[in-house]
Amino acid sequence: AQTVTQSQPEMSVQEAETVTLSCTYDTSESDYYLFWYKQPPSRQMILVIRQEAYKQQNATENRFSVNFQKAAKSFSLKISDSQLGDAAMYFCAYRRINQFYFGTGTSLTVIP
Amino acid sequence: DTAVSQTPKYLVTQMGNDKSIKCEQNLGHDTMYWYKQDSKKFLKIMFSYNNKELIINETVPNRFSPKSPDKAHLNLHINSLELGDSAVYFCASSQDSGVRYTFGSGTRLTVV
């Protein structure tokens, strides 16, 4: 069974600071993808970053980067220089073939 | 130029009614999905269609019936609505086994 766990229901960060959101997952597969999605109050699911399991190098997208530890089945998201617009729910997701499994989300508050 | 569009965005209805949510994608993707996001923000897949064929059918009540008239459309029909059906329903589409995956903006269904 594939499960995704986000142990931090809520996090807060000061504007311009750095925050790390945690995610762990459980799988017996070796080939899969991991994602972080952002869901602002508008409800739209926005892809933040994607990591292929076969790649050892951590994915980076501007201020967003991940720490992918395959052996530990850990996939944390680091947001640098946090901005007010980063405030949202963040979902970690595991994808195998064409189905996603989502974590329960972390609500991020950015304090001005 | 909306990629995955759902209608309506909001739907309030009484218990026992039958309602439909429509989804259309103009990305040329070959697979479409329905996800349910409950009040605790948990996202779970319900159905997946690939080229009009049902490929994923998670454990959902028989009152939920997806219909795919063509590969650009996947509608969700719900019979005999219950209070517990209140949630946000997301449509999504993908191509290339999910490498390119796009969510709609969601439909908030409220059953009263």
Side-chain angles (χ1 to χ4, degrees):
Chain A
Q2 294 96 352
T3 59
V4 179
T5 302
Q6 293 178 248
S7 58
Q8 306 153 315
E10 297 177 346
M11 290 284 284
S12 61
V13 62
Q14 206 76 33
E15 195 175 1
E17 297 295 310
T18 295
V19 65
T20 299
L21 308 184
S22 301
C23 174
T24 58
Y25 59 95
D26 183 29
T27 185
S28 55
E29 306 290 343
S30 60
D31 183 21
Y32 52 87
Y33 291 80
L34 296 164
F35 301 78
W36 278 97
Y37 276 89
K38 170 185 176 182
Q39 187 180 37
S42 66
R43 290 204 313 263
Q44 182 73 40
M45 293 290 283
I46 302 166
L47 177 63
V48 174
I49 201 164
R50 183 182 82 182
Q51 175 80 43
E52 291 89 339
Y54 62 86
K55 288 188 179 178
Q56 292 187 338
Q57 186 173 8
N58 289 325
T60 304
E61 287 288 340
N62 301 315
R63 298 182 294 107
F64 298 88
S65 61
V66 298
N67 183 4
F68 174 47
Q69 303 286 330
K70 191 172 183 179
K73 296 179 184 173
S74 170
F75 183 61
S76 59
L77 174 70
K78 185 171 86 171
I79 306 174
S80 305
D81 185 26
S82 296
Q83 300 175 359
L84 295 178
D86 295 334
M89 282 289 287
Y90 285 81
F91 291 94
C92 179
Y94 165 101
R95 182 180 71 73
R96 166 76 178 150
I97 307 179
N98 58 11
Q99 186 174 354
F100 273 88
Y101 298 87
F102 288 89
T104 49
T106 296
S107 177
L108 179 66
T109 301
V110 180
I111 303 164
Chain B
D1 59 347
T2 304
V4 180
S5 61
Q6 298 177 226
T7 53
K9 291 193 185 306
Y10 298 93
L11 181 56
V12 181
T13 187
Q14 288 188 323
M15 282 175 57
N17 284 350
D18 303 339
K19 290 292 179 185
S20 292
I21 307 172
K22 295 184 177 181
C23 180
E24 176 182 4
Q25 54 97 2
N26 63 3
L27 299 165
H29 287 173
D30 57 11
T31 306
M32 295 184 73
Y33 313 79
W34 277 108
Y35 285 83
K36 179 181 179 181
Q37 186 175 38
D38 61 25
S39 58
K40 296 180 180 177
K41 301 288 187 182
F42 185 59
L43 260 162
K44 196 171 190 304
I45 193 166
M46 300 173 69
F47 301 103
S48 173
Y49 268 75
N50 178 268
N51 284 320
K52 302 198 301 176
E53 276 194 48
L54 181 65
I55 55 172
I56 293 174
N57 183 3
E58 293 294 309
T59 305
V60 298
N62 291 336
R63 299 180 294 102
F64 290 79
S65 54
K67 288 185 170 51
S68 182
D70 55 61
K71 73 173 195 177
H73 295 83
L74 180 62
N75 303 323
L76 183 64
H77 189 75
I78 315 170
N79 290 326
S80 302
L81 278 155
E82 300 177 357
L83 293 177
D85 298 332
S86 295
V88 179
Y89 292 84
F90 284 94
C91 179
S93 70
S94 75
Q95 184 69 24
D96 301 332
S97 297
V99 173
R100 285 171 282 170
Y101 207 100
T102 305
F103 281 89
S105 57
T107 296
R108 181 178 293 281
L109 170 65
T110 303
V111 182
V112 297

